[in-house]
């Protein structure tokens, strides 16, 4: 029987997928804007900070719309990204409202876990599709290195 802890754990995993998607979209926009501003050749910390701060203020929907203006192949991802946006918004804004007292029964928690699995799948599919735009094939990495493969070469992001 699923516990409330199982529901909370899956909610956290699903929220993580949403944040990974948001971060990767921001990374693509950051890369594009820094190249456009010639910051790789002529570093300007103030300009770089301004670009980062502008991107960091965007919502997931705004990030998705902004990506369309900088990446030609995003048109192929409209449905996936739209589904992910809807999944993220439902997760954050109405998941517990919709499920309300289901948390108090085994059957209700099963329903909640199935819903979370669906939301997680949608977000993870979008995340993997956006990673592909950067040349990262997450499925290939898992195939080659296993489920516990860890990315390397990433720098911490200022929060």
């Amino acid at each position: 029987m699923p516990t409330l802890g199982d529901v909370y754990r899956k909610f956290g995993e699903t929220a993580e997928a949403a944040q990974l998607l948001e971060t990767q979209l921001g990374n693509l926009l950051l890369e594009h804007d820094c190249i456009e501003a010639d910051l790789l050749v002529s570093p300007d910390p103030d300009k770089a900070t301004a670009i980062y701060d502008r991107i960091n203020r965007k919502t997931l929907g705004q990030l998705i719309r902004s990506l369309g203006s900088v990446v030609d192949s995003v048109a192929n991802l409209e449905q996936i990204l739209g589904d992910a946006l809807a999944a993220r918004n439902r997760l954050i804004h109405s998941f517990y409202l919709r499920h309300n007292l289901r948390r108090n029964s085994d059957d209700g928690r099963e329903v909640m876990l199935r819903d979370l699995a669906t939301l997680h799948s949608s977000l993870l599919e979008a995340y993997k599709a956006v990673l592909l735009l950067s040349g990262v094939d997450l499925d290939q990495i898992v195939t080659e290195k296993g489920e516990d493969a860890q990315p390397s070469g990433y720098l911490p992001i200022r929060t």
Side-chain angles (χ1 to χ4, degrees):
M1 295 289 133
T3 67
L4 193 53
D6 295 331
V7 172
Y8 291 157
R9 187 172 16 269
K10 188 63 178 178
F11 185 94
E13 291 170 359
T14 306
E16 177 191 32
Q19 288 189 357
L20 288 170
L21 172 60
E22 198 168 328
T23 298
Q24 190 58 31
L25 288 165
N27 288 344
L28 286 171
L29 293 171
L30 184 63
E31 176 185 33
H32 173 270
D33 290 0
C34 286
I35 290 170
E36 286 288 309
D38 202 32
L39 294 177
L40 302 180
V41 175
S42 303
D44 181 338
D46 292 333
K47 190 182 283 188
T49 299
I51 290 169
Y52 175 83
D53 288 344
R54 181 178 41 79
I55 292 168
N56 199 39
R57 282 191 299 273
K58 292 180 185 274
T59 65
L60 180 58
Q62 291 169 333
L63 289 169
I64 290 170
R65 284 188 294 281
S66 295
L67 185 67
S69 66
V70 300
V71 177
D72 294 333
S73 58
V74 79
N76 300 332
L77 303 178
E78 282 180 8
Q79 184 67 48
I80 292 170
L81 293 173
D83 291 347
L85 178 60
R88 181 258 177 217
N89 287 343
R90 193 159 70 74
L91 176 74
I92 299 304
H93 298 296
S94 66
F95 178 79
Y96 286 105
L97 179 64
R98 285 179 181 222
H99 288 288
N100 199 356
L101 298 177
R102 286 191 179 121
R103 67 189 294 280
N104 298 329
S105 72
D106 291 338
D107 290 342
R109 289 188 295 272
E110 273 294 334
V111 170
M112 294 173 81
L113 284 172
R114 282 194 305 272
D115 191 17
L116 286 167
T118 300
L119 296 172
H120 186 256
S121 177
S122 177
L123 290 160
L124 193 57
E125 180 183 4
Y127 174 59
K128 291 192 299 187
V130 172
L131 276 175
L132 277 173
L133 294 175
S134 299
V136 176
D137 186 339
L138 193 56
D139 289 330
Q140 181 182 357
I141 291 170
V142 170
T143 298
E144 291 174 0
K145 298 185 179 185
E147 289 287 329
D148 295 327
Q150 296 292 314
S152 61
Y154 289 93
L155 299 175
I157 295 175
R158 179 176 64 91
T159 57

